[in-house]
Amino acid sequence: QVQLVESGGALVQAGGSLRLSCAASGRTFSSYAMGWFRQAPGKEREFVAATSRNAFNIYYTDSVKGRFTISRDNTKNTVYLQMNSLKPEDTAVYYCAASVRGSSRQSREYDYWGQGTQVTVSS
């Protein structure tokens, strides 16, 4: 079992930047593929980005390509989401998730979830 704790969410102006962090417990972090998802008010949860165990395979949803970067530091048991050029439509609760089966765009493939961190982008 692994515990995931997100941090870094904030209220920012459109065009600004944030870096979200997800710290994982345990000593098997490098065995998990990691993903970021988000859920805006009144909308379903959607995929944002994912990274494989060795970070050789990276995936992004089309709406964040060129603006967001997912990365991981296995020595710190942490995955990051660098968000640049933020838009009001990026406003959502952001969740990190861990998968024992490899990176995926599908939430059902993930085994562990964090509590979420709020990102609000004002115009």
Side-chain angles (χ1 to χ4, degrees), residues 33 50-60 70-72 74 103:
T51 177
S52 61
R53 297 171 181 84
N54 54 20
F56 290 166
N57 299 307
I58 303 292
Y59 308 96
Y60 298 99
I70 188 172
S71 62
R72 67 190 300 161
N74 289 345
S103 57

Side-chain angles (χ1 to χ4, degrees), residues 44-66:
E44 295 184 347
R45 180 176 54 190
E46 68 170 334
F47 169 78
V48 178
T51 177
S52 61
R53 297 171 181 84
N54 54 20
F56 290 166
N57 299 307
I58 303 292
Y59 308 96
Y60 298 99
T61 191
D62 287 345
S63 64
V64 308
K65 287 180 179 178

Side-chain angles (χ1 to χ4, degrees), residues 2 7 11 24 28 32-34 52 55 58 60 62 66 98 108 112:
V2 61
S7 62
L11 171 64
T28 59
Y32 295 93
M34 300 295 297
S52 61
I58 303 292
Y60 298 99
D62 287 345
R108 63 180 176 270
Y112 304 100

Side-chain angles (χ1 to χ4, degrees), residues 29 32-38 46-62 64-65 68-72 78-82 94-107 109-110 113:
F29 176 77
Y32 295 93
M34 300 295 297
W36 286 96
F37 294 78
R38 66 187 181 186
E46 68 170 334
F47 169 78
V48 178
T51 177
S52 61
R53 297 171 181 84
N54 54 20
F56 290 166
N57 299 307
I58 303 292
Y59 308 96
Y60 298 99
T61 191
D62 287 345
V64 308
K65 287 180 179 178
F68 291 10
T69 303
I70 188 172
S71 62
R72 67 190 300 161
T78 302
V79 63
Y80 305 94
L81 185 68
Q82 178 67 46
Y94 284 70
Y95 301 89
C96 67
S99 172
V100 301
R101 295 176 292 277
S103 57
S104 174
R105 292 176 170 85
Q106 303 298 318
S107 61
E109 298 297 328
Y110 290 83
W113 293 82

Side-chain angles (χ1 to χ4, degrees), residues 13-15 40 67 85-92 119-123:
Q13 185 75 21
R67 300 189 298 121
S85 301
L86 283 162
K87 305 174 180 179
E89 52 261 45
D90 295 318
T91 295
V119 172
T120 302
V121 184
S122 61
S123 60

